[in-house]
Amino acid sequence: MLNKMRSFQKSTILPALPLADSELVKRAQRGNTAAFEELVKRYEHKVYNIAYRMLSNEEEAKDALQDTFIRAFRFIKKFKGDSSFYTWLYRITTNVCLTRLKRRKGKESVTLSLDEPVKDEEDMIRELPDVTHTPEILFERKQTQQAIQTAISELPSEYRSVVVLRDLQGLSNKEVSKALQLSIAAVKSRLHRGRVFLRKKLSKYIEQ
Amino acid sequence: MISCYQLSQIISEFIDGELSEDVCVEIRQHIAFCPDCRREHEQFLKLLTFFHCNCMIQITETTHLELMQVIFEEFEKPLKIEHKPRKISKKRKTS
């Protein structure tokens, strides 16, 4: 199986210079699996982060990551290029997460209690290096991160997707509106309400 | 001059730099004289700083390989041929 996978990965050799997303998409649409794998490598971290912020659960975020790329793989031929590839991909991600949240709502409460700590991120590799390493600062930072994630998990899902894409992933209002198929006015309104909600929830940390 | 309530409604757009310069001047003047709104503005800025400092989680090599495995399995799946039932024309030829 692994040998087959390797041959799948090496099915078409890509040039050394990085290709633009649009070029990789064109190649993937023609059935070039190496091009699709390159797109996966480019966006898997961001897709995982959106899913984790939306779902507040490591295992569910991994499942959402897989669901997102399977859907992208199935439907890449239907992608017309009206928006950037990543906006299209993030739309799939948020839809996958919202579906999971809806399903979860039937089984249990979507929100987490403030007393309930979110999944520990200790063993995950971080992109940004820690400038300060004193145990007190690291502990404080970890607590703040947990508080942020808990507060995000308590946001109503329609605000959560906007805040995650706009404030945590750094998309523009226009990109968020395309990804979530909302008007720019709706994005701005939900973003503001989401921020107001989070400001209240995180007042303890913000007022320090 | 802009009121505290009005400011509270557009503070996000102000922070994101999406308001006209005239409105921004009014807001800056208001913030300079209103301690409550200044505090609110500072809190929003701090909130956004938290988000930007919030580390990006990198997925592990195992998660990447698992992902590639499921995509590979998807690639290997035989194409499903949908057997659509033949449409039976309601119109019958009249002789």
Side-chain angles (χ1 to χ4, degrees):
Chain A
M1 186 62 121
L2 266 174
N3 285 338
K4 269 188 177 182
M5 239 182 101
R6 277 183 198 118
S7 64
F8 163 77
Q9 287 166 350
K10 288 176 183 172
S11 62
T12 315
I13 297 160
L14 289 173
L17 281 172
L19 291 169
D21 283 1
S22 54
E23 183 54 38
L24 288 172
V25 168
K26 275 182 200 165
R27 292 181 186 206
Q29 284 175 329
R30 290 198 294 263
N32 183 329
T33 49
F36 189 80
E37 193 186 354
E38 182 57 30
L39 288 168
V40 171
K41 280 182 187 165
R42 256 178 220 189
Y43 291 106
E44 61 186 353
H45 297 292
K46 287 193 173 176
V47 167
Y48 178 79
N49 273 265
I50 294 171
Y52 180 71
R53 298 300 174 201
M54 291 286 291
L55 301 165
S56 295
N57 180 296
E58 199 188 330
E59 283 308 310
E60 269 202 278
K62 278 183 194 171
D63 290 345
L65 172 76
Q66 293 184 357
D67 288 352
T68 299
F69 279 106
I70 286 174
R71 282 194 199 187
F73 187 75
R74 275 185 203 155
F75 297 110
I76 190 118
K77 283 184 181 169
K78 289 185 179 175
F79 174 65
K80 290 171 188 166
D82 298 335
S83 64
S84 54
F85 170 74
Y86 67 84
T87 310
W88 180 72
L89 189 66
Y90 296 168
R91 186 193 302 164
I92 299 174
T93 314
T94 44
N95 284 341
V96 164
C97 292
L98 289 172
T99 308
R100 283 181 170 269
L101 286 171
K102 269 184 206 163
R103 251 188 255 151
R104 198 197 282 175
K105 211 171 188 178
K107 292 176 190 169
E108 50 164 326
S109 172
V110 173
T111 56
L112 293 173
S113 157
L114 263 177
D115 308 323
E116 187 184 332
V118 291
K119 185 88 183 172
D120 197 356
E121 295 172 14
E122 208 169 41
D123 23 316
M124 294 174 184
I125 308 155
R126 288 170 189 198
E127 196 175 58
L128 299 176
D130 279 330
V131 184
T132 45
H133 296 281
T134 65
E136 293 82 7
I137 288 174
L138 286 176
F139 179 70
E140 202 177 288
R141 190 178 291 175
K142 197 175 161 187
Q143 272 196 322
T144 311
Q145 281 178 3
Q146 282 191 343
I148 291 170
Q149 186 55 38
T150 307
I152 290 170
S153 72
E154 290 182 335
L155 266 172
S157 56
E158 65 267 31
Y159 302 160
R160 198 184 314 174
S161 46
V162 174
V163 169
V164 167
L165 292 180
R166 180 75 174 84
D167 284 342
L168 278 95
Q169 297 300 317
L171 266 67
S172 68
N173 284 341
K174 198 178 169 186
E175 287 173 324
V176 177
S177 84
K178 280 196 171 179
L180 301 177
Q181 291 177 310
L182 293 169
S183 68
I184 290 186
V187 170
K188 284 181 182 177
S189 163
R190 290 181 189 196
L191 181 66
H192 177 65
R193 286 177 193 179
R195 283 175 180 172
V196 169
F197 180 97
L198 291 175
R199 183 181 144 239
K200 280 181 193 161
K201 287 280 173 193
L202 295 166
S203 59
K204 182 185 153 191
Y205 299 89
I206 288 169
E207 281 166 8
Q208 275 174 359
Chain B
M1 196 169 165
I2 195 164
S3 70
C4 294
Y5 176 75
Q6 285 172 320
L7 177 56
S8 73
Q9 297 302 299
I10 55 171
I11 196 156
S12 267
E13 288 176 74
F14 172 65
I15 289 167
D16 292 337
E18 287 174 1
L19 298 173
S20 70
E21 188 50 35
D22 293 349
V23 180
C24 289
V25 169
E26 270 196 63
I27 292 174
R28 281 189 211 107
Q29 282 172 348
H30 183 110
I31 286 172
F33 292 102
C34 178
D36 288 345
C37 288
R38 189 161 59 242
R39 192 167 142 261
E40 189 179 347
H41 177 240
E42 282 166 4
Q43 286 180 351
F44 270 108
L45 287 178
K46 198 163 181 186
L47 181 71
L48 295 187
T49 314
F50 272 168
F51 291 148
H52 298 152
C53 294
N54 203 14
C55 298
M56 175 98 162
I57 306 160
Q58 293 270 334
I59 62 167
T60 59
E61 184 61 23
T62 315
T63 307
H64 170 75
L65 287 173
E66 282 169 2
L67 174 62
M68 290 316 300
Q69 176 74 36
V70 292
I71 295 171
F72 169 72
E73 282 165 7
E74 188 64 25
F75 178 71
E76 287 281 283
K77 269 185 193 173
L79 282 173
K80 279 181 189 173
I81 302 161
E82 284 179 28
H83 294 285
K84 289 181 182 173
R86 275 186 183 180
K87 280 182 184 175
I88 302 162
S89 174
K90 283 178 184 175
K91 287 178 186 174
R92 283 185 183 175
K93 281 182 184 176
T94 48
S95 56

